[in-house]
Amino acid sequence: MAETASFLVSSNSSPTLTQNITTIRTIAESPGLTSIPSTYAFTPAPRDQVVSETQVSLPVIDYSLLTSGTPHQRSKIVHDLGKACQDWGFFLMINHGVPESLVRSMIDGCGGFFDLPEEEKEEYRGNHVSDPIRCGTSFNASVEKVFFWKDFLKILSHPVFHSPSKPAGFSETSLEYSKRAREVTRELLKGISESLGLDPNYIEKALNLEQGLQVIAANFYPPCPQPELAMGMPPHSDHGLLTFLIHNGISGLQVQHKGKWVNINGIPNSILVNIGDHLEILSNGKYRSVLHRAMVNNKATRISIAIAHGPSLDTVVSPAPELLEIEKKAAAYIGIKYKEYLEIHQSNKLDGKCNLDRLRI
C-alpha cells in the first residue's frame, strides 16, 4: 500500500482568508498613477532569460486525431502527447471542438464580472478557500508581504456547478464551457493513460473523475505603470491533473523550459494545456507539472481564464502501482488526499513547486 501523507494546516496558513486590500482595478484606475505602491513592487530577477515561442518548438497536439483519427494517427498523437507531458509539461491544443464563439463569450463574461461596480461584487468576497464563488485581489493577501497585480474570480464548477448571478448570461456560458472542457479533458486523459502504458480509462477510474473537482479561475491584469517591478502571478505549478488556459489575446504567460522563460502567445483558437502536480504524482515524476508565471504590461488589460481539472476531493493520489510495476521503480512521492493538498496549496503563498516538494521521497 502506498505511503500517505497527512498535513495539518497551521495557524499561519489557515484556509480562512482575509482580504481587505484595495482591488488592483481601483488602484490602476487612480487618476495620475505613475508608479506602483511599494506593496506591489518585486525585486527584478536580472538573470532570468526570456525567449519568444518562435525560438523554440512548442508542442502542438491535434485533439481531433485522438477522437476521430485513424489507428495510426491516434497511436502517433498518443506518443506525441506523452512526449509533450514529459519534455514540457505543457502543450498547445488545436482542433479541440470547443466553439470559438463559446470561448469568446466566456472571456467577455469574465470581463463583464470584473466591470461590475465593487459593491455588486462584494457578496462574493469569500473568506475561505472552499467558498464556491470567491473574488478578490492578489492570490492570498492574508499571507503575502508583496501583492500581485491582479484581481481574480474563482468558481467551483464541478461536481456541483456554481456561478455568480451577474453579468447576465454568464452562468449559462460558464456552465456550457465547463461541460465542454470536462469532455475534452476526459479524452486527453485517456490518451495520457495510454502513453504511460496504462489502460485508457485508468486515470478516470482511479481518481474518480466522475466526481472530480473542476475550478474556473479568471484573472484580471490591468495596465501597470511599472511592469518591470510588478508581477501578475509568480512562478508556480498548478494542483490537479490538467489546466486549460484561454485569454483575450493580450500576451503575458511565460512557461519555464530548460531554465529559460518562454513567452507564450498561442495559436488562434487553440487552448493552452499544462500538466498539474497530481499528474506528476500519478506518473511518479515521468510527467512533470510545469512552472509558469504571468507578467503585466503598461498598455492593455489582460484577462485570462484557467479551468483546472482534478480528482475527487476524497481521492488519495499516489504513484500508480501498475506504472511502478511496468517501470520497475519505487514510488518517488508520498500519497495525499486531494482535499488536503488543495487546502495547503490555496492557503499559502505561491512559491514554485514547494507544496509538491513536500511529498517527494
Side-chain angles (χ1 to χ4, degrees):
M1 182 178 293
E3 189 175 357
T4 303
S6 179
F7 292 147
L8 295 177
V9 182
S10 70
S11 58
N12 293 328
S13 57
S14 167
T16 298
L17 309 175
T18 56
Q19 291 195 328
N20 297 319
I21 62 174
T22 306
T23 66
I24 202 62
R25 179 172 194 138
T26 301
I27 293 174
E29 293 178 350
S30 302
L33 183 70
T34 58
S35 61
I36 63 175
S38 60
T39 49
Y40 289 87
F42 286 83
T43 302
R47 294 183 181 180
D48 277 359
Q49 188 174 357
V50 180
V51 299
S52 72
E53 61 184 67
T54 57
Q55 295 175 265
V56 295
S57 182
L58 289 178
V60 177
I61 298 299
D62 187 339
Y63 174 81
S64 67
L65 299 181
L66 272 177
T67 57
S68 56
T70 65
H72 174 73
Q73 288 173 323
R74 178 179 170 79
S75 177
K76 183 179 184 307
I77 207 67
V78 165
H79 173 270
D80 292 346
L81 185 57
K83 186 171 177 55
C85 293
Q86 189 166 7
D87 294 349
W88 279 80
F90 165 87
F91 55 89
L92 300 176
M93 179 172 58
I94 61 173
N95 297 327
H96 43 72
V98 181
E100 189 172 4
S101 59
L102 179 59
V103 171
R104 174 50 54 190
S105 294
M106 189 67 187
I107 294 169
D108 290 344
C110 289
F113 179 86
F114 291 118
D115 285 342
L116 292 173
E118 292 304 317
E119 57 270 19
E120 293 189 34
K121 291 181 280 190
E122 193 62 35
E123 66 176 295
Y124 302 118
R125 297 198 187 282
N127 292 319
H128 195 281
V129 295
S130 63
D131 286 345
I133 306 172
R134 183 164 60 92
C135 68
T137 194
S138 195
F139 177 75
N140 184 359
S142 64
V143 298
E144 292 161 350
K145 295 181 179 179
V146 182
F147 303 135
F148 304 115
W149 195 264
K150 71 152 192 169
D151 292 333
F152 68 82
L153 169 65
K154 289 186 178 178
I155 304 167
L156 303 186
S157 51
H158 194 266
V160 178
F161 177 76
H162 300 273
S163 176
S165 58
K166 298 179 181 180
F170 178 64
S171 179
E172 293 79 5
T173 297
S174 55
L175 176 61
E176 179 63 19
Y177 181 71
S178 64
K179 285 181 177 179
R180 292 291 192 111
R182 285 199 304 278
E183 291 170 2
V184 174
T185 297
R186 189 175 295 113
E187 294 300 324
L188 281 177
L189 289 175
K190 286 180 181 178
I192 289 172
S193 284
E194 287 185 63
S195 73
L196 288 168
L198 303 171
D199 180 85
N201 295 313
Y202 180 86
I203 294 177
E204 182 172 357
K205 292 179 179 178
L207 302 187
N208 190 18
L209 295 192
E210 189 67 32
Q211 295 298 314
L213 185 71
Q214 185 186 52
V215 182
I216 298 172
N219 293 315
F220 176 88
Y221 307 98
C224 175
Q226 293 178 296
E228 71 281 2
L229 296 181
M231 180 74 70
M233 287 281 276
H236 67 284
S237 60
D238 292 339
H239 62 82
L241 300 167
L242 296 176
T243 298
F244 292 2
L245 186 70
I246 57 176
H247 59 84
N248 65 341
I250 305 301
S251 61
L253 174 68
Q254 293 182 346
V255 169
Q256 192 175 73
H257 181 62
K258 295 183 177 179
K260 300 177 182 178
W261 289 102
V262 182
N263 282 316
I264 305 294
N265 294 311
I267 301 169
N269 202 29
S270 65
I271 292 178
L272 312 177
V273 183
N274 66 264
I275 305 305
D277 293 344
H278 290 81
L279 191 51
E280 176 168 335
I281 294 171
L282 180 131
S283 70
N284 203 37
K286 183 173 184 177
Y287 297 164
R288 299 277 182 170
S289 58
V290 64
L291 280 178
H292 51 291
R293 65 186 184 183
M295 311 304 287
V296 296
N297 68 80
N298 59 3
K299 296 179 180 179
T301 293
R302 180 172 187 264
I303 295 174
S304 69
I305 304 168
I307 185 162
H309 304 87
S312 68
L313 287 173
D314 290 331
T315 297
V316 174
V317 184
S318 58
E322 293 83 348
L323 182 62
L324 298 181
E325 186 175 338
I326 291 171
E327 302 201 338
K328 307 300 180 186
K329 291 183 178 180
Y333 302 83
I334 298 170
I336 186 173
K337 186 177 289 189
Y338 185 43
K339 182 179 181 180
E340 290 185 35
Y341 189 93
L342 187 65
E343 287 188 343
I344 295 166
H345 186 280
Q346 296 291 299
S347 303
N348 289 283
K349 294 185 294 184
L350 284 182
D351 185 12
K353 299 175 75 169
C354 66
N355 295 314
L356 184 60
D357 289 342
R358 302 185 194 194
L359 302 177
R360 299 184 195 277
I361 297 176

